[in-house]
Amino acid sequence: MKMHNAHVEFEFDMSAGLFHLHPVRENFPGFDGASLALCYLVNGIQKTERLNEFNQRGTTQRIHSPLHGEICQISCACQSMDSTLEMIITFALTDQHPLFLWNMQIHNVSSQAVHIRKIEILRLGSHEDKGSQFIFSSRKAADLLFFTNGWQSWSYAGAYNFSQGQRRSILGPFQLPQVVNPGTPYTSSRGRHTSDFFGVLADKAERKGLVLGFLSQKQHFGTLEANFGETLSARLWANGDDARLDPGLSITTDWAVAMPFSIDLPNPMQEYVQAVAREHQLADFGKSPVGWCSWYQFYSKVIAPEIERNLAALTEMRKELPLELFQIDDGYQAQVGDWLEFRDTFPDGVASFASRAKNAGFTPGLWLAPFIVHPRSRLRHDHPDWILHSRHSWPVNTGFAWNTFNTALDLTIPDALDYAAHVVDVAAHQWGFPYLKLDFLFAAAVKGRYQDDSFTRAQVMRHGLERLRQAAGKETFLLGCGVPLGSALGLFQALRIGPDVLESWRPKWFGTGAIFRREPHMPSAMNSIQNILARSFMHRRWWINDPDCLLVRPHMDLNLDEVQSLATAIAITGGTLLLSDDLPALPKERIQLAASLIPPIDQPLQVIDWLDAQTPTRLRVDLENQTGKWHLLVRFNWLDCEDEITLTARDFNLPDGNYHVRSFWEKITRDVMRSTPLYQGKLAAHGVLLLAVRAVQENQVQYIGSDLHFSQGLEIARWKADGNGVVGQIVLERTSQGEIELSLTQEPKSAKVGDEDVIWRKSAANRYTFSIQVDDRADFEISL
Ligand code: 9PG
């Protein structure tokens, strides 16, 4: 049985149950001899079987999928050895996309219930199957890379060399129930790598990769595991969670996907990411929220007067710092779980803040964690039967937070789910919050004995989230946090894609950093940035990425270099921009720093060393407007010491040439002549260079950049230059005092903003810097 499209050739050996995927183009990866296996329980007895002896069901069909276009597909059936289960496996190749898709339907044809443990949709390189192997040009572990995507928002994401072990937390029951899918092996063994939903295997030498994963997580949580021992082996499975399958019923896995790709494309994950978006019919997500959040300044000690002072400051500062969202975080509620009662530090509740914020022209936002339950909540006391229990009849542990081990609602209990939905409904429609940050959502899908055991954990999660969306209504903006990524697709406008930020570069707990320094999922600026960069490709394709908050206050453990790195990572990836400092206490220059990131930009980002570095160091965004084309280039230094760096155009896949290079944070411009580096010199520990790079146009008036906006050019809304000078307009929609720099053919005769003369100075041969006051907009005219 064979099929092919422009990218791959597929072949299925039905009697042996082995399938092969061969790339059409040279050096692209594929595999030989992949098998399918199933693990299930009948009467409590576990059976594990590799599937074979398939019969073809009908012929190869050409169908039109409304989501994925023209598809060629074929189905085959087989039975389990004990004849209790019938499996139908469907393989599909898409015409327009380099996608190989397959899924498995499992039908209980017996007269007794079966519990499904694991559906291995791909098994490769295992010893049982001779000749089963990956096709990668390179067979050296040193050349192989693995990109891991953690289960939920806070879980680690990033690339590893295969010879490395994965970064692993030592926090055990304190944290692992939050961040690790219980169906995904959590290991730090060298050469053993795991990932949730999807993962990437790549060949560094050949610059080719293979995405293996799923298009959705509506039925099962998917896991990818790869091992490099003597050879490379891998398994991709759907976690059955021992969910009960009654006689006569069937379950079908989400589509599994294999996609070969070139890792040096500007957007290497594009085809996979778009297929997932199509599968969920994702459309537009609206504007990226820009605002303020109470958490990282006040934490749970927040009191109503602080919220009030910050709302007042937001109003007062809105000209210089136009934040739109005013989001109250954790700390107002009587207890986690008791959402409809308030702490005595919020005697009037939060509804009055919603109306006050709205009247002042802001969007009020509220944090809620409707699925997690504090052990000392009234909810837990009044409804012990709503709590999810473990197999040993203890309430499940959902990890340590609020100084205690927490537990969760069992959402297969209709009343429990109704309660969670009711809370969201009240917050949105009674208290009047059009923006909700729904947090700790993973709690709905921890390992446990669900009252209705016919659901997989992924189904409980998805169903729970759908219910929250329904309660919130279409019109409410939902930001998901602490949520399994695949489950959230299509239900949230924005999603947290990394661990919490912290006013410290590395994790710390109760003042000590030593033991927690290397923790991968704990709050810290570094861990937050890791995921911001590793998961940047999801932004505006799956949701608006929420990188977590920006902190700019001067007196904290982050120094200015670190603040600039955090600010650059947040701004250039284009997601939400939320400040979490005490606004009335911010000094002017820190307000300016934050304001220079507004408005957010929405141009595609290239993470040049996305797979080559554990934490990427080089980013590129191509921009264009009436001033011409330019490149925004970023180079981070993740070392704990100052680094001596040389940065060339080629490091960003740009040709050598003559460039004007304006360095935003340094406020310096360097003119770079052919074959000299764009930058050569020191870069501080945890520091960053943010460069606007423009090809020099000899004897022409040219825009070089400014300190008004970090894009160093998008602030220019109109620009008309010729031999007599330049007329232009700056649009910021905020008030700012700054400088713009231009390259001119001669000394200016006059320079005006509106009718006022402006001060200028010569910054280098042919370069001039003009001081400009912008009130929302500024029209300028420079005559030569
Ligand atoms: C509010 C916070 C903020 C933050 C969220 C989330 O395990 N823990 O103790 C733990 C505490 C806080 C936390 C995650 C884990 O952060 O990401 O933005 O809303 O809740 O409590």
Side-chain angles (χ1 to χ4, degrees), residues 53 107 136 143 159 264-265 323 327 330 337 339 427 551 554 684 696 759:
E53 300 296 335
H107 190 180
F136 267 113
D143 286 337
D264 290 327
L265 293 174
L323 304 179
Q327 190 240 306
D330 186 2
W339 303 105
L551 311 177
V696 171
I759 302 169

Side-chain angles (χ1 to χ4, degrees), residues 515-558:
I515 5 175
F516 303 113
R517 255 181 81 78
R518 294 182 47 77
E519 280 297 315
H521 323 285
M522 266 178 83
S524 72
M526 182 70 248
N527 286 349
S528 168
I529 290 171
Q530 168 69 37
N531 276 34
I532 293 176
L533 300 178
R535 284 176 167 164
S536 60
F537 63 89
M538 298 172 184
H539 176 56
R540 284 210 175 273
R541 301 195 176 95
W542 289 358
W543 42 62
I544 293 168
N545 274 12
D546 172 22
D548 205 11
C549 296
L550 172 65
L551 311 177
V552 300
R553 54 188 178 265
H555 303 294
M556 59 174 170
D557 279 356
L558 294 176

Side-chain angles (χ1 to χ4, degrees), residues 320-633:
E320 304 89 71
L321 191 65
L323 304 179
E324 295 156 9
L325 169 72
F326 177 70
Q327 190 240 306
I328 303 173
D329 214 279
D330 186 2
Y332 64 90
Q333 73 285 358
Q335 188 54 277
V336 170
D338 302 334
W339 303 105
L340 305 180
E341 294 158 53
F342 298 98
R343 206 171 278 185
D344 44 20
T345 48
F346 279 80
D348 306 323
V350 288
S352 62
F353 285 117
S355 56
R356 264 188 285 170
K358 240 180 263 179
N359 291 338
F362 300 102
T363 303
L366 188 70
W367 175 92
L368 282 170
F371 294 158
I372 197 164
V373 180
H374 193 284
R376 287 185 298 282
S377 60
R378 187 195 294 268
L379 174 67
R380 162 84 194 280
H381 182 267
D382 291 353
H383 299 285
D385 50 321
W386 290 359
I387 302 300
L388 178 62
H389 285 74
S390 74
R391 280 166 211 284
H392 314 290
S393 301
W394 287 94
V396 292
N397 167 31
T398 59
F400 195 83
W402 308 287
N403 293 319
T404 185
F405 288 99
N406 295 278
T407 188
L409 291 176
D410 178 345
L411 300 185
T412 67
I413 298 167
D415 286 347
L417 182 54
D418 284 348
Y419 170 72
H422 175 64
V423 166
V424 167
D425 179 25
V426 169
H429 303 120
Q430 282 185 34
W431 298 344
F433 288 93
Y435 178 109
L436 297 175
K437 172 179 177 182
L438 303 179
D439 202 354
F440 286 86
L441 299 171
F442 72 90
V446 297
K447 196 173 175 162
R449 197 187 60 211
Y450 291 82
Q451 197 149 99
D452 184 338
D453 69 348
S454 68
F455 293 108
T456 65
R457 290 180 303 115
Q459 288 173 328
V460 177
M461 187 79 242
R462 182 75 189 179
H463 186 218
L465 296 179
E466 283 171 355
R467 194 55 202 287
L468 297 188
R469 166 49 80 185
Q470 193 189 13
K474 275 204 195 82
E475 68 289 355
T476 303
F477 189 102
L478 294 183
L479 179 139
C481 186
V483 62
L485 264 57
S487 308
L489 286 153
L491 300 173
F492 294 87
Q493 282 93 342
L495 213 87
R496 255 292 277 290
I497 44 78
D500 287 19
V501 72
L502 189 72
E503 60 273 34
S504 150
W505 191 249
R506 301 227 184 249
K508 264 191 185 175
W509 207 36
F510 290 120
T512 78
I515 5 175
F516 303 113
R517 255 181 81 78
R518 294 182 47 77
E519 280 297 315
H521 323 285
M522 266 178 83
S524 72
M526 182 70 248
N527 286 349
S528 168
I529 290 171
Q530 168 69 37
N531 276 34
I532 293 176
L533 300 178
R535 284 176 167 164
S536 60
F537 63 89
M538 298 172 184
H539 176 56
R540 284 210 175 273
R541 301 195 176 95
W542 289 358
W543 42 62
I544 293 168
N545 274 12
D546 172 22
D548 205 11
C549 296
L550 172 65
L551 311 177
V552 300
R553 54 188 178 265
H555 303 294
M556 59 174 170
D557 279 356
L558 294 176
N559 64 32
L560 185 58
D561 292 308
E562 293 165 337
V563 169
Q564 289 170 350
S565 283
L566 181 64
T568 304
I570 290 173
I572 202 137
T573 52
T576 65
L577 178 64
L578 301 188
L579 211 55
S580 194
D581 295 302
D582 186 26
L583 296 176
L586 278 186
K588 201 171 165 31
E589 69 277 8
R590 295 298 173 111
I591 295 171
Q592 272 172 3
L593 189 161
S596 72
L597 311 176
I598 301 173
I601 64 170
D602 258 332
Q603 317 303 318
L605 170 72
Q606 297 178 47
V607 183
I608 309 280
D609 49 356
W610 179 64
L611 284 174
D612 292 289
Q614 195 165 328
T615 310
T617 60
R618 279 173 285 142
L619 315 178
R620 167 178 160 183
V621 178
D622 296 339
L623 296 170
E624 184 176 5
N625 65 7
Q626 291 180 6
T627 67
K629 292 184 182 191
W630 74 103
H631 312 282
L632 209 52
L633 307 181

